[in-house]
């Protein structure tokens, strides 16, 4: 008695007969099962029959796949694979075109089954199809069925593609190259050629010789989406092992298609993404190659960068020591961290030598813009200058990450950049636009060297947001990215932040409101502590030149402001050494910008940077004031916030708003962590002993992280 798990209850159908409901014993030979079914319908010759799934993919049931049959399956009694293969083989050779057409049509359908394919190929049926194609005497309908059946048979991998004759390959290629050919024939022919190209290098060379890229590009411009997709698939197969010149040629040929089509279907978008990725990845070698400080060619490129920015006709007449000093000074102006050996700035990979390539391309392609960038920043104060080399190295790295250079294309990716198909050297040209954008953003942010990372974050956001809008040309990208200034970025961030807050659950919003007072108090204490530490301010004379320095700090008890003159190299003076003081209780008001008395005195003569850094406090008797010009925007925010706290007012600086948002975000995330069964200590852990040496530390002074 068979076990219950070996019994499967199924239904078996046959045209013109009532279905049979049987209990299939999986341990019984399949031939015995078929004989019982044939006996039930009084059918002679059970060897001529086989079972097949009636629904879905109508696969033949064999001893190897019979265990896949589940309870409730519906099977069909049909011709055995060998008998079906024999009948179709004879039908294809019939003198009646109608019989040939029907046989080839049925062949195209049943060839998806590997069991049938093995039977048909064992009779050399695939060679019969090859001969039909080579003779090319049949109608378009018959030829379509022939090619479809052939493709289905070859997909099983029973026969090698390399056994095909050159006559057959040329004939298939002729179907693709022909301008007036049935679309169905062209579609399956493109499929066949793609499989040939992917199967061996020899066939790749033959197909590449027979089918030109221009012809495949022409297929991409037809309205038939199936032909477009198949042509793109073959094009990509050809380009996978093609050289850089062929890939670049293909990119140019695709330009008009990308610009003329309003939208691209998903599968085509994937191929364009892959093409972009494969083409850009030729930069990977440069990106992963560090600067060789012993390479004369690379050293010459660095010196050409320097000479393009600073013309020194008499440099050769200088002594070696004087020349080295001059070079170091000019490399510093260029923004290199290591002035005596600037090549050390380029040893980090990525971006490696690619950063040197982009800098040199900018200097050679746009010499006026390059000189303007360097000279403009050379004339600024040291802390406000935008370092060209340091910025270029970091910008090149950002572009590599955005364009995913060096990353293999994903199997489902479709995020391509239309601008890529409009430009010859996209990486270099994007760099030229973005390095000028970086300088513009630096000025908009009134940045100092301490703000370098913040500026780079904003520039990255400007680039990614602009590329996400899918600009179709470099000029359009340039216009859009320059319109997306720092002010617009702040507005977008604020809008997105408000949107995120709106989507927060009510309990989270309630928690946020409860946390605000506590965190605001924390910021207030930080501001007062900062005022107690004090700051060195500069005086501006009536002739608008830097005069003396003076120092101001709040007393530890927060009741007195102490101030007085100070020398540049002096450490933070103590309250006892500062000669003058103002009681906090006597402070009446806080003024900023053009409302300050020292800004009104020379109205219209101060630049925007000075106006934005100016603030004053009024005290005691009318008209008495203490006037400040903050050394940086950060100091301006700290002092105006701290003075507002002393006056009992709300803090209003952008620095306070940013810090509050960061603290709120961190605190909410911590509160929402799942800390069940996680012990939280009441006291801080013991600080471990210092290590015996610090050899493991890395020197970050020469590189950007």
């Amino acid at each position: 008695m068979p076990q219950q798990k070996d019994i499967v209850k199924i239904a078996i159908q046959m045209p013109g007969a009532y279905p049979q409901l049987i209990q299939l014993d999986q341990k019984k030979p399949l031939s015995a099962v078929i004989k019982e079914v044939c006996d039930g319908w009084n059918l002679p010759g059970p060897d001529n029959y086989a079972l097949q799934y009636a629904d879905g993919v109508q696969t033949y049931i064999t001893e190897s796949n019979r265990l896949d049959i589940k309870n409730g399956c519906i099977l069909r009694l049909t011709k055995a694979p060998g008998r079906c293969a024999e009948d179709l083989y004879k039908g294809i050779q019939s003198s009646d075109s109608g019989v040939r057409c029907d046989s080839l049509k049925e062949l195209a359908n049943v060839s998806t089954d590997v069991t049938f394919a093995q039977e048909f190929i064992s009779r050399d049926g695939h060679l019969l199809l090859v001969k039909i194609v080579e003779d090319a005497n049949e109608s378009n309908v018959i030829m379509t069925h022939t090619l479809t059946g052939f493709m289905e048979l070859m997909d099983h991998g029973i026969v090698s593609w390399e056994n095909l004759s050159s006559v057959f390959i040329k004939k298939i290629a002729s179907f693709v190259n022909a301008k007036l050919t049935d679309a169905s024939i062209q579609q399956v022919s493109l499929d066949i050629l793609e499989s040939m190209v992917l199967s061996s290098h020899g066939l790749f060379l033959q197909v590449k010789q027979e089918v030109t890229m221009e012809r495949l590009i022409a297929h991409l411009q037809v309205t038939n989406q199936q032909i477009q997709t198949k042509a793109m698939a073959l094009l990509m197969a050809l380009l996978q092992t093609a050289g850089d010149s062929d890939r670049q040629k293909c990119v140019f040929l695709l330009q008009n298609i990308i610009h003329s089509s309003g939208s691209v279907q998903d599968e085509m978008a994937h191929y364009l993404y892959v093409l972009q990725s494969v083409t850009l990845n030729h930069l990977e070698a440069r990106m992963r190659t560090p600067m060789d400080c012993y390479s004369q060619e690379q050293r010459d490129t660095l010196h050409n960068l320097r000479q393009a920015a600073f013309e020194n006709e008499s440099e050769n007449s200088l002594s070696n020591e004087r020349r080295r000093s001059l070079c170091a000074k000019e490399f510093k102006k260029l923004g290199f961290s290591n002035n005596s050996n600037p090549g050390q700035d380029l040893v980090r990979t990525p971006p490696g030598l690619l950063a040197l390539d982009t800098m040199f391309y900018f200097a050679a392609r746009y010499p006026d813009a390059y000189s303007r960038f360097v000279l403009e920043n050379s004339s600024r104060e040291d802390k406000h200058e935008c370092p060209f080399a340091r910025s270029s190295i970091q910008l090149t790295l950002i572009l590599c990450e955005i364009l995913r250079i060096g990353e293999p294309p994903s199997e489902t990716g479709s995020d391509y950049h239309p601008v890529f198909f409009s430009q010859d050297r996209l990486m270099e040209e994007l760099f030229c636009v973005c390095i000028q954008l970086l300088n513009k953003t630096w000025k908009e942010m009134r940045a100092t060297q301490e703000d370098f990372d913040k500026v780079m974050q904003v520039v990255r956001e400007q680039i990614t947001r602009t590329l996400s809008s899918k600009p179709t040309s470099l000029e359009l990208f340039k216009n859009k990215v320059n319109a997306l200034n720092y002010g617009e970025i702040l507005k977008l961030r604020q809008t997105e932040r408000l949107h995120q807050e709106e989507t927060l659950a009510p309990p989270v919003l309630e928690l946020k409101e409860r946390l605000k007072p506590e965190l605001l108090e924390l910021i207030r204490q930080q501001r007062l502590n900062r005022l107690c530490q004090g700051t060195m301010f500069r005086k501006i004379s009536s002739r608008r030149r830097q005069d003396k320095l003076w120092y101001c700090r709040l007393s530890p008890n927060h009741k007195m402001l102490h101030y007085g003159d100070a020398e540049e190299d002096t450490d933070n003076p103590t309250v006892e050494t500062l000669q003058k003081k103002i009681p906090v209780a006597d402070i009446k008001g806080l003024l900023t910008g053009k409302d300050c008395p020292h800004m009104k005195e020379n109205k219209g003569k101060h630049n925007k940077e000075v106006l934005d850094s100016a603030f004053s406090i009024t005290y005691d008797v009318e008209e008495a004031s203490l006037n400040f010009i903050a050394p940086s925007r950060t100091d301006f925010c700290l002092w105006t916030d701290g003075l507002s706290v002393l006056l009992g007012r709300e803090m209003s600086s952008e620095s306070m708003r940013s810090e509050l948002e960061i603290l709120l975000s961190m605190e909410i995330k911590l509160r929402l962590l799942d800390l069940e069964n996680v012990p939280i200590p009441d006291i801080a852990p013991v600080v471990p002993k210092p290590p015996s040496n610090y050899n493991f530390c890395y020197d970050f002074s020469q590189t950007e992280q």
Side-chain angles (χ1 to χ4, degrees), residues 143-428:
M143 187 59 69
T144 300
H145 294 324
T146 302
L147 293 172
T148 305
F150 175 81
M151 185 65 200
E152 295 293 350
L153 290 171
M154 296 298 291
D155 264 351
H156 297 295
I158 301 170
V159 180
S160 172
W161 286 94
E162 295 188 53
N163 295 332
L164 298 173
S165 67
S166 59
V167 176
F168 178 82
I169 296 172
K170 289 183 178 181
K171 184 59 68 173
I172 298 294
S174 70
F175 294 147
V176 172
N177 291 331
K179 295 182 179 179
L180 299 175
T181 303
D182 183 82
S184 299
I185 292 178
Q186 286 192 328
Q187 185 177 319
V188 70
S189 296
L190 288 164
D191 241 347
I192 292 172
L193 291 178
E194 182 194 2
S195 296
M196 288 182 184
V197 168
L198 296 175
S199 65
S200 76
H201 184 65
L203 288 174
F204 161 79
L205 295 175
Q206 289 187 60
V207 174
K208 185 179 179 183
Q209 186 176 358
E210 297 295 333
V211 182
T212 62
M213 286 188 186
E214 289 82 359
R215 189 63 202 133
L216 291 177
I217 295 293
H219 282 303
L220 297 179
Q221 301 177 53
V222 301
T223 56
N224 187 317
Q225 290 190 346
Q226 288 296 322
I227 289 183
Q228 280 187 334
T229 303
K230 299 295 183 185
M232 193 66 189
L234 176 56
L235 189 61
M236 289 306 305
L238 288 170
L239 289 174
Q240 289 291 344
T241 51
D244 291 341
S245 60
D246 284 338
R247 281 195 290 267
Q248 199 61 54
K249 179 181 178 182
C250 178
V251 170
F252 282 128
L253 291 171
L254 281 167
Q255 286 179 16
N256 293 333
I257 300 171
I258 303 299
H259 293 293
S260 61
S261 59
S263 61
V264 176
Q265 64 182 109
D266 292 342
E267 198 165 354
M268 181 72 83
H270 170 68
Y271 288 130
L272 293 172
Y273 154 78
V274 174
L275 176 59
Q276 171 188 291
S277 180
V278 170
T279 306
L280 281 174
N281 276 353
H282 78 282
L283 298 171
E284 182 180 5
R286 299 291 286 180
M287 180 183 76
R288 302 200 184 281
T289 304
M291 171 85 178
D292 180 4
C293 297
Y294 295 100
S295 168
Q296 187 62 44
E297 180 184 356
Q298 294 172 19
R299 293 209 309 268
D300 289 345
T301 302
L302 275 175
H303 283 284
N304 288 337
L305 268 178
R306 177 184 62 82
Q307 291 169 348
F310 311 103
E311 294 183 6
N312 291 303
E313 297 180 0
S314 59
E315 184 177 317
N316 293 330
S317 62
L318 300 175
S319 64
N320 289 337
E321 184 177 348
R322 184 73 183 92
R323 188 184 300 112
R324 280 196 299 270
S325 174
L326 177 64
C327 289
K329 181 180 179 182
E330 291 179 344
F331 276 126
K332 181 180 180 181
K333 288 183 179 180
L334 264 180
F336 284 95
S337 301
N338 193 321
N339 307 332
S340 58
N341 188 4
Q344 289 295 324
D345 287 24
L346 296 161
V347 296
R348 182 168 62 106
T349 59
L353 286 177
L354 188 57
L356 180 61
D357 295 342
T358 52
M359 284 190 284
F360 187 73
Y361 182 89
F362 178 51
R365 182 81 171 82
Y366 304 99
D368 293 341
Y370 170 66
S371 298
R372 186 164 58 249
F373 185 112
V374 176
L375 296 177
E376 177 184 329
N377 285 285
S378 298
S379 62
R380 295 179 186 169
E381 294 181 34
D382 287 347
K383 64 180 180 180
H384 284 287
E385 66 180 7
C386 177
F388 173 73
R390 184 186 179 193
S391 301
S392 297
I393 294 168
Q394 194 67 9
L395 177 61
T396 303
L397 178 60
I398 287 173
L399 288 174
C400 287
E401 292 171 351
I402 292 174
L403 297 175
R404 296 188 290 271
I405 296 175
E407 295 181 21
S410 72
E411 294 182 1
T412 57
S414 59
D415 185 21
Y416 73 96
H417 301 299
V419 66
F420 170 78
F421 296 93
S422 69
Q423 196 62 46
D424 182 7
R425 302 180 67 173
L426 177 71
M427 176 67 182
E428 292 86 346

